[in-house]
């Protein structure tokens, strides 16, 4: 009988292919982890120990106002740029010289402090890429220079009042046009009063209080008025120091002294913000006076013409961020600061708004401007009246009755025919691109400053003029400041 031999089962596991997923046969059970360290010691924590993170020292934030100062810093000189040979300065002769059309003239160095005082320079205007500040004498600049010459001269247009609202595309040079006007006014020894940013007065960043005795209630901004007085004194110190008090000021009877200069009068409002608005009214009455009050005719001098500039006009055409005592929004026209400067656009009742002559230049902003339907309609109406379209004509632009246009905004620009022959109507001036001749002179200025290494000819200028949207000077600056190195 044959016996079948059966081998006993092996205690070692059989090999399994590496790709198999089943468990190993006869695998030994896992051993329990033994506590080698033994039980916890006396007063020893049983929980897991957490590693302490290294403390990272964060840098201290910059002081208050440093970031804003850096953002608004104005650099007017680049020592690495070349000095442009033969560049003339802006003067009474060069501002009306037709032979300088299309060329760049420099701003006089002593005048830079005055222009800084009225905040005429803007941070993004490219002043820091040249050796010294200069400006292009475009056709609008020469036309404005002739206005300054005739208003301050001895001709029949002496003492004339010109009112303009300046509009245009972004980068067309509206703010620089205001700067050119301020520079010409300083050359002619005029008094310059400037509102560099209209937006700052309506965004609730300065204090305000109701004005007593007004119905409806008006509001005073003491700090903003004191800042305006400070800019006016810093820029017109030489002129204001030579003029003395010639009118009665009952509201400042205890503060005004005989033979006080207008500089001393303005300094009262700078020191005391509560009296700043009354001081500004007194200063405005003095600058617009044509004859002295009885008993104050000693040392009276004729007042010079005035230049009033406002940049960013559209921000004044809607409700401000301020609130009344009933938490109702306050319209920008209920702020006496804004109300005063907007009232200058209307025709004077008995005498011109500027009896001694001057210019009112109010500019809009294309880069920082709210969309306001009433303001757009008002500008179209100004253009229609300037073109000779009567308000009764069917071609005269009217506001859509369903658009809820602000009647207060339309009333500001609905100026009637001036009663005085010296006061002109409200005009609309639209700045466009510069001509090819002006663009060529501007590009040559870049080349002479060492920023361009190109052959400035008519073909090259025509190409850049086209790329700049038809001569938009802001776009020409971007093209001119790209340095090209020839291999």
């Amino acid at each position: 009988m044959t016996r079948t031999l059966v081998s006993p089962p092996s205690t070692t596991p059989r090999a399994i292919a590496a790709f198999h997923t089943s468990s190993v046969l006869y695998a030994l059970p896992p051993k329990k982890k033994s506590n080698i360290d033994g039980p916890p010691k006396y007063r020893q924590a049983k929980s897991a120990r957490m590693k302490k993170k290294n403390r990272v020292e964060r840098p201290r934030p910059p002081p208050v106002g440093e970031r804003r100062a850096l953002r608004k810093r104005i650099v007017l000189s680049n020592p690495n740029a070349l000095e442009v040979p033969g560049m003339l300065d802006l003067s009474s002769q060069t501002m009306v010289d037709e032979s300088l059309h299309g060329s760049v003239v420099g701003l006089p160095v002593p005048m830079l402090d005055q222009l800084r005082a009225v905040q005429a320079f803007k941070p993004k205007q490219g002043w820091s890429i040249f050796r010294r500040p200069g400006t292009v004498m475009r056709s609008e600049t020469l036309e404005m220079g002739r206005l300054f010459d005739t208003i301050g001269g001895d001709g029949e247009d002496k003492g004339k009042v010109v009112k303009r609202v300046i509009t245009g595309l972004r980068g067309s040079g509206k703010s620089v046009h205001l700067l050119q006007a301020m520079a010409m006014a300083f050359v002619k020894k005029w008094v310059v009063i400037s509102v560099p940013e209209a937006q700052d007065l309506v965004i609730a960043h300065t204090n305000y209080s109701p004005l007593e005795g007004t119905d409806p209630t008006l509001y005073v901004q003491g700090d903003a008025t004191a800042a305006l007085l400070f800019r006016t004194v810093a820029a017109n110190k030489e002129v204001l120091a030579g003029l003395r008090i010639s009118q009665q000021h009952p509201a400042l009877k205890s503060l005004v002294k005989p033979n006080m200069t207008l500089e001393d009068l303005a300094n009262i409002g700078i020191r005391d913000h509560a009296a700043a608005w009354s001081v500004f009214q007194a200063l405005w009455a003095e600058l617009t006076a044509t004859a002295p009050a009885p008993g104050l005719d000693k040392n009276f001098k004729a007042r010079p013409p005035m230049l009033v500039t406002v940049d960013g006009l559209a921000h004044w055409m809607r409700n401000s961020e301020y609130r009344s005592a009933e938490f109702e929004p306050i319209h920008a026209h209920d702020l006496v600061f804004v109300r005063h400067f907007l009232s200058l656009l209307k025709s004077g009742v008995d005498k011109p708004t500027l009896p001694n002559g001057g210019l009112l230049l109010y500019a809009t902003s294309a880069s920082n401007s709210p969309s306001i339907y009433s303001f757009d309609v008002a500008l179209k109406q100004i253009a229609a009246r300037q073109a000779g379209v009567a308000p009764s004509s069917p071609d005269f632009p009217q506001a859509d009755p369903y658009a809820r246009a602000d009647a207060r905004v339309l009333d500001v620009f609905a100026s009637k025919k001036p009663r005085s022959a010296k006061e002109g109507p409200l005009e609309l001036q639209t700045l466009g691109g510069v001509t090819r001749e002006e663009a060529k002179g501007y590009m040559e200025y870049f080349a002479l400053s060492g920023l361009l290494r190109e052959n400035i000819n008519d073909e090259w200028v025509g190409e850049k003029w086209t790329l700049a949207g038809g001569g938009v000077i802001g776009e020409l600056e971007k093209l001119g400041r790209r340095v090209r190195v020839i291999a």
Side-chain angles (χ1 to χ4, degrees):
M1 185 174 181
T2 306
R3 298 176 61 181
T4 304
L5 299 178
V6 180
S7 60
S10 177
T11 57
T12 58
R14 289 181 294 179
I16 300 176
F19 57 84
H20 208 281
T21 59
S22 61
S23 60
V24 180
L25 296 178
Y26 306 109
L28 297 176
K31 295 182 179 181
K32 296 183 180 180
K33 294 182 179 180
S34 60
N35 191 355
I36 302 175
D37 297 337
K41 297 179 181 180
Y42 181 67
R43 291 185 178 180
Q44 183 178 1
K46 296 182 181 180
S47 61
R49 295 182 180 181
M50 304 294 292
K51 293 184 178 180
K52 293 184 178 180
K53 295 182 179 180
N54 295 330
R55 187 175 180 180
V56 180
E57 295 184 0
R58 297 182 178 179
R60 293 183 179 181
V64 177
E66 183 175 345
R67 290 176 179 175
R68 183 177 182 181
L70 184 63
R71 186 175 67 252
K72 293 191 173 183
R73 185 181 56 153
I74 304 295
V75 180
L76 299 179
S77 177
N78 181 14
N80 296 323
L82 300 178
E83 182 73 27
V84 178
M87 185 170 67
L88 301 177
D89 284 347
L90 185 69
S91 62
S92 300
Q93 293 75 29
T94 57
M95 60 191 288
V96 294
D97 191 355
E98 291 289 343
S99 63
L100 296 177
H101 179 226
S103 60
V104 177
V105 298
L107 300 176
V109 176
M111 188 191 296
L112 297 182
D113 291 336
Q114 294 177 287
L115 293 174
R116 277 184 178 272
V118 293
Q119 300 180 11
F121 299 105
K122 304 295 181 182
K124 296 182 180 180
Q125 287 178 344
W127 303 104
S128 60
I129 62 178
F130 301 107
R131 187 80 176 187
R132 52 173 299 195
T135 181
V136 185
M137 299 299 290
R138 52 196 296 183
S139 57
E140 294 85 357
T141 306
L142 293 171
E143 187 267 339
M144 184 171 57
R146 289 189 293 269
L147 274 179
F148 276 93
D149 206 25
T150 56
I151 293 175
D154 297 330
E156 58 180 7
D157 290 336
K158 180 182 179 180
K160 185 179 178 181
V161 181
V162 178
K163 305 177 183 180
R164 288 181 177 176
V165 176
I166 303 173
T167 62
L169 299 174
R170 180 180 180 180
S172 57
K174 298 181 292 297
S175 298
V176 176
H177 191 71
L178 297 183
L179 182 144
Q180 293 172 340
M182 297 180 207
M184 294 178 182
F186 288 135
V187 168
K188 291 291 187 178
K189 305 297 181 183
W190 287 21
V191 175
V192 178
I193 298 179
S194 173
V195 181
E197 291 292 343
Q199 181 184 9
D200 293 344
L201 298 171
V202 295
I203 57 177
H205 280 198
T206 182
N207 64 346
Y208 69 109
S209 60
L211 184 62
E212 297 181 358
T214 56
D215 187 23
T217 306
L218 303 179
Y219 298 87
V220 179
Q221 298 165 292
D223 291 351
T225 309
L228 173 65
L229 291 173
F230 179 79
R231 294 195 302 267
T232 305
V233 171
N236 308 278
K237 186 173 183 179
E238 181 181 354
V239 178
L240 297 180
L243 302 176
R244 298 189 178 275
I245 296 292
S246 64
Q247 305 296 316
Q248 299 289 346
H249 306 291
L252 302 172
K253 188 174 182 181
S254 60
L255 300 176
V256 176
K257 300 178 181 179
N259 294 329
M260 176 184 286
T261 63
L262 299 189
E263 179 187 1
D264 297 334
L265 174 63
N267 286 330
I268 297 175
I270 297 174
R271 292 189 297 266
D272 186 4
H273 291 193
W277 178 246
S278 299
V279 171
F280 176 76
Q281 288 180 307
L283 179 64
W284 187 267
E286 292 288 344
L287 292 175
T288 56
T290 56
L296 296 175
D297 52 351
K298 185 179 179 181
N299 299 326
F300 176 78
K301 293 183 180 180
R303 281 22 181 170
M306 297 174 61
L307 171 66
V308 181
T309 63
V310 177
D311 202 353
L313 182 61
H315 291 281
W316 287 356
M317 301 302 152
R318 59 176 181 176
N319 289 333
S320 68
E321 299 297 329
Y322 294 98
R323 296 281 178 166
S324 63
E326 294 78 16
F327 204 70
E328 296 292 333
I330 299 175
H331 199 280
H333 296 186
D334 291 332
L335 304 173
V336 291
F337 191 112
V338 176
R339 193 184 189 93
H340 169 78
F341 285 98
L342 290 181
S343 65
L344 301 178
L345 297 177
K346 297 183 179 181
S347 303
V349 180
D350 299 327
K351 59 180 181 179
T353 52
L354 301 177
N356 299 304
L359 266 77
L360 298 174
L361 299 179
Y362 292 14
T364 61
S365 175
S367 58
N368 180 23
S369 179
S371 179
I372 302 175
Y373 173 74
S374 306
F375 185 56
D376 296 338
V377 174
L379 294 181
K380 293 179 182 178
Q381 292 180 351
I382 297 175
R385 283 194 296 267
Q386 190 173 348
V389 181
S392 58
S393 173
D395 297 332
F396 191 78
Q398 299 290 347
D400 188 354
Y402 297 100
R404 297 182 180 180
D406 193 347
R408 302 180 67 175
V409 174
L410 298 176
D411 182 65
V412 169
F413 301 96
S415 58
K416 301 179 181 178
K417 185 177 180 180
R419 296 185 180 181
S420 175
K422 294 292 185 179
E423 186 173 11
L426 183 60
E427 302 174 359
L428 183 68
Q429 183 178 10
T430 303
L431 293 182
V434 297
T435 62
R436 295 175 185 266
E437 179 184 356
E438 296 166 351
K440 183 177 181 180
Y442 191 47
M443 291 293 101
E444 288 177 349
Y445 177 62
F446 276 83
L448 293 174
S449 299
L451 298 176
L452 273 179
R453 298 183 180 181
E454 297 283 350
N455 184 16
I456 310 298
N457 51 28
D458 294 339
E459 182 180 357
W460 186 87
V461 171
E463 175 189 351
K464 303 308 175 187
W465 184 87
T466 305
L467 292 176
V472 177
I473 196 166
E475 300 299 326
L476 282 174
E477 179 191 341
K478 295 179 183 178
L479 295 174
R481 66 195 306 175
R482 298 176 184 173
V483 181
R484 294 171 175 83
V485 179
I486 300 177

